[in-house]
Amino acid sequence: MFITEMELLQARLAAGKRLNDSHILKEILQEDRSSEKKRRMAEGERYYRGEHDSLQKDFRRSPISETKENGEEELRMFFNPNRSNHHCVHPFHHTLVAQKTAYLVGREPTISVRNGDRAFEEMLTELADEHFNGMLQSWLTGAANKGVEYLHVYYDGEGNFRYCIVPAEEIIAIYDEEYQQELREVIRYYDIKVLDEGREKTKRRVEWWTAEDVTYFTENGDGEFLQEKSCGHWAVTALLDGEETETEQHGWGRVPFIPLRNNEKELTDLQLVKGLIDAYDLVSSEGTNNLLDLVDLYWVIQGYGGETASAVAKKLQINKAVQISDSSGNVEAKQVQLPVEGRLDWMQMLRKDIFHFGMGVDTDSDDWGKAASGVALKFQYAMFYLKINGIVPEIKRAVKEFFRFATEDWNRENGTDWDWRKIQITLNTNGITDDMETMQIIAASKGMVSEKTLLGKHPFVEDVNSEMEQLERERKEKDNEIDTDD
């Protein structure tokens, strides 16, 4: 959920004489928890974990229609305890999100500076390590599942610059009224465990972040939010003869939360294919239960000298034959036929639609791998490219905003004046390509494109920054050998 400054002002005015942050928080949080956006977020996370809605269906229950004495039809649920209740879950959503994440950020991005400042680049490269790349994958996965995900930058207890993912379901974003683009305030809320009279209870904690400070609230037993403290984003303590003399509060000048939007409308990757995935699960589960309950043969018993059907069945089971003493009697075996082909055709169509509208790549397709050329591979990735091209600018914007915070921190600590606007982000995508064709293009591009960019596209290079360092070391060693020979 996000609200504008005007909506926040209206909430404050609506409070009237009760004008205090506690009442405002209570109303906003209540509305947010029940909002459609937060429901979609929870849904995307569930399906990513394989917790589909089909798991809630009980296949032992089915509706039947009965005719009442007055002739009216009545619909009621019939429970058959002998019916199988197996659930087939097909994690298509997980696969589609994993494809997207692995392609875009499976390899570390290349970080460069336009003016070629080597010291600046080295600082950024050191920061963009394995931990950063793991965070980037989690950030993108969260955005795909929820429509948006947030990165929070902060200082730890020792004053070190840190960052972490804050789940979007904990965030209420407040944007500017005019364009709804600038993040002005953030309300974060989450549950904490506290001891109350020796018993463990769950209460909500709230952090209200502005451009300069943050205010903390904790829920009491009556559901009211009591203010704990208000402080800056970080504090600097002056020391005199080893004693703390004064603490000065500081703020970033903007809210230290960075949103990564999945798309302009913040739609989840699940929304467009959820119905298709549910249908696939139900058709597969129903077919599996029918197969589990299948009786290969059943017997039609007619007449047969007054003996019960169970007695005849027992003789058939033991003797594999039965003697008919009644001329009108008849025992006939029939075989059950399940409509397997029709069900498989329907599931194949659903699968095709899931990958088509989910804009993914179905590697089980009959056409996959027939043509190995780069052009053919790109054609098979066509829908996938349409999807990822929409989020690439969002990733670059969000990552650059993160490095803006990091650069400002570095400038304060070291007295530098590096300009974060000169940072360039290049995503080293990780799709299936024709390696020979790619290397031929790289070789033909030397002298026209920077070495760092070419390395980022090379199929053998996993970490561009490490490869650049290794090349530099090898060049120096080679130069030293030449000097020694001379």
Side-chain angles (χ1 to χ4, degrees):
M1 170 182 174
F2 76 85
I3 58 179
T4 64
E5 291 177 304
M6 180 57 70
E7 290 170 327
L8 180 59
L9 176 61
Q10 290 172 346
R12 284 174 169 155
L13 291 175
K17 294 181 180 180
R18 299 178 295 110
L19 186 59
N20 61 68
D21 289 337
S22 175
H23 287 92
I24 296 169
L25 285 173
K26 199 171 182 179
E27 294 174 8
I28 292 177
L29 266 58
Q30 183 176 357
E31 181 181 352
D32 181 66
R33 281 200 162 181
S34 59
S35 67
E36 178 67 14
K37 190 174 183 66
K38 290 299 170 71
R39 188 188 70 80
R40 293 283 189 187
M41 289 182 179
E43 196 172 64
E45 282 287 284
R46 280 196 299 106
Y47 272 67
Y48 185 77
R49 297 191 301 266
E51 299 172 5
H52 295 194
D53 287 350
S54 61
L55 292 172
Q56 306 305 316
K57 180 173 176 58
D58 190 345
F59 291 95
R60 296 169 299 180
R61 298 183 181 275
S62 57
I64 61 172
S65 179
E66 293 183 341
T67 303
K68 300 170 67 174
E69 294 181 358
N70 58 7
E72 294 182 358
E73 292 292 323
E74 181 182 32
L75 192 67
R76 68 180 183 86
M77 295 301 295
F78 173 74
F79 179 75
N80 180 5
N82 298 317
R83 169 79 161 134
S84 294
N85 190 36
H86 185 79
H87 296 83
C88 297
V89 173
H90 303 81
F92 287 110
H93 174 63
H94 185 104
T95 298
L96 291 168
V97 172
Q99 279 185 355
K100 178 178 178 178
T101 303
Y103 180 85
L104 287 168
V105 295
R107 300 167 65 187
E108 294 181 8
T110 300
I111 314 298
S112 58
V113 180
R114 279 202 302 269
N115 62 359
D117 190 325
R118 292 296 298 275
F120 192 9
E121 277 195 8
E122 287 176 4
M123 185 277 288
L124 297 173
T125 299
E126 185 177 348
L127 185 59
D129 56 8
E130 295 83 359
H131 174 69
F132 171 81
N133 202 52
M135 176 278 299
L136 190 55
Q137 293 179 25
S138 299
W139 201 4
L140 180 56
T141 298
N145 287 335
K146 308 169 195 174
V148 63
E149 188 71 300
Y150 291 86
L151 180 73
H152 175 45
V153 297
Y154 65 98
Y155 288 97
D156 63 17
E158 298 179 356
N160 299 311
F161 179 79
R162 293 285 184 265
Y163 56 90
C164 67
I165 298 294
V166 173
E169 51 267 41
E170 297 180 358
I171 296 293
I172 300 174
I174 303 170
Y175 284 87
D176 66 285
E177 175 64 27
E178 188 173 4
Y179 301 108
Q180 298 183 14
Q181 293 294 321
E182 184 181 350
L183 187 61
R184 295 287 178 82
E185 298 179 48
V186 161
I187 299 174
R188 180 192 178 195
Y189 65 97
Y190 49 92
D191 293 335
I192 58 173
K193 301 288 186 180
V194 297
L195 287 177
D196 187 0
E197 297 180 354
R199 301 178 65 180
E200 187 179 87
K201 292 186 178 180
T202 301
K203 293 185 178 180
R204 284 180 295 179
R205 196 178 194 215
V206 178
E207 302 169 5
W208 195 322
W209 295 80
T210 68
E212 298 297 338
D213 58 26
V214 55
T215 305
Y216 296 90
F217 300 84
T218 301
E219 186 179 26
N220 65 12
D222 297 325
E224 301 293 331
F225 291 95
L226 305 180
Q227 181 175 330
E228 291 181 3
K229 64 176 181 177
S230 183
C231 58
H233 296 156
W234 78 89
V236 175
T237 302
L239 297 177
L240 181 62
D241 297 330
E243 297 290 334
E244 296 183 359
T245 59
E246 184 180 0
T247 300
E248 185 178 354
Q249 302 292 331
H250 294 270
W252 286 102
R254 60 191 182 282
V255 182
F257 287 82
I258 308 170
L260 174 58
R261 297 182 180 86
N262 194 40
N263 46 61
E264 184 182 1
K265 300 295 184 182
E266 295 187 3
L267 300 176
T268 72
D269 280 0
L270 177 66
Q271 286 179 244
L272 299 180
V273 293
K274 180 181 180 298
L276 295 169
I277 294 174
D278 288 342
Y280 195 99
D281 285 348
L282 291 173
V283 171
S284 177
S285 299
E286 187 70 45
T288 299
N289 287 318
N290 288 340
L291 188 61
L292 292 172
D293 295 339
L294 174 66
V295 178
D296 293 335
L297 292 175
Y298 67 93
W299 297 91
V300 178
I301 302 171
Q302 297 175 336
Y304 199 63
E307 288 197 53
T308 62
S310 60
V312 175
K314 186 174 182 180
K315 290 180 179 179
L316 286 168
Q317 183 180 10
I318 297 173
N319 304 321
K320 308 300 180 184
V322 64
Q323 181 181 1
I324 299 177
S325 58
D326 192 334
S327 60
S328 63
N330 180 46
V331 178
E332 181 181 1
K334 291 187 177 290
Q335 188 171 9
V336 177
Q337 297 291 336
L338 289 177
V340 176
E341 290 186 7
R343 191 183 298 273
L344 290 177
D345 290 342
W346 181 252
M347 291 176 66
Q348 184 63 31
M349 186 197 72
L350 286 173
R351 180 188 179 92
K352 184 177 180 180
D353 285 347
I354 289 169
F355 279 99
H356 178 77
F357 294 110
M359 295 181 166
V361 180
D362 187 0
T363 55
D364 288 341
S365 171
D366 294 336
D367 297 330
W368 187 257
K370 286 184 178 179
S373 72
V375 175
L377 286 170
K378 287 181 179 179
F379 180 77
Q380 291 178 336
Y381 270 81
M383 292 297 291
F384 183 66
Y385 288 147
L386 286 176
K387 176 171 69 173
I388 64 169
N389 285 341
I391 196 174
V392 166
E394 289 291 337
I395 296 174
K396 290 183 177 181
R397 179 205 59 78
V399 172
K400 193 169 183 177
E401 181 66 17
F402 164 73
F403 282 119
R404 177 185 177 183
F405 281 100
T407 302
E408 291 181 4
D409 168 71
W410 184 273
N411 287 340
R412 276 196 307 271
E413 292 293 322
N414 298 277
T416 53
D417 58 351
W418 289 335
D419 187 356
W420 63 271
R421 297 175 186 85
K422 296 181 180 179
I423 298 173
Q424 292 181 313
I425 312 296
T426 303
L427 298 181
N428 298 315
T429 54
N430 201 26
I432 298 175
T433 59
D434 183 343
D435 289 349
M436 180 60 70
E437 185 176 334
T438 301
M439 287 190 288
Q440 289 172 350
I441 295 172
I442 291 172
S445 301
K446 287 184 177 179
M448 294 183 290
V449 181
S450 72
E451 185 178 23
K452 195 169 188 177
T453 299
L454 293 178
L455 284 173
K457 300 301 180 182
H458 200 289
F460 295 164
V461 176
E462 296 291 334
D463 187 335
V464 178
N465 298 318
S466 297
E467 190 68 23
M468 287 290 292
E469 293 175 1
Q470 179 63 26
L471 284 172
E472 186 66 26
R473 284 194 296 268
E474 290 179 2
R475 290 191 185 106
K476 289 180 179 179
E477 290 174 1
K478 188 174 181 180
D479 290 342
N480 291 335
E481 290 176 2
I482 294 174
D483 292 340
T484 303
D485 294 339
D486 292 342

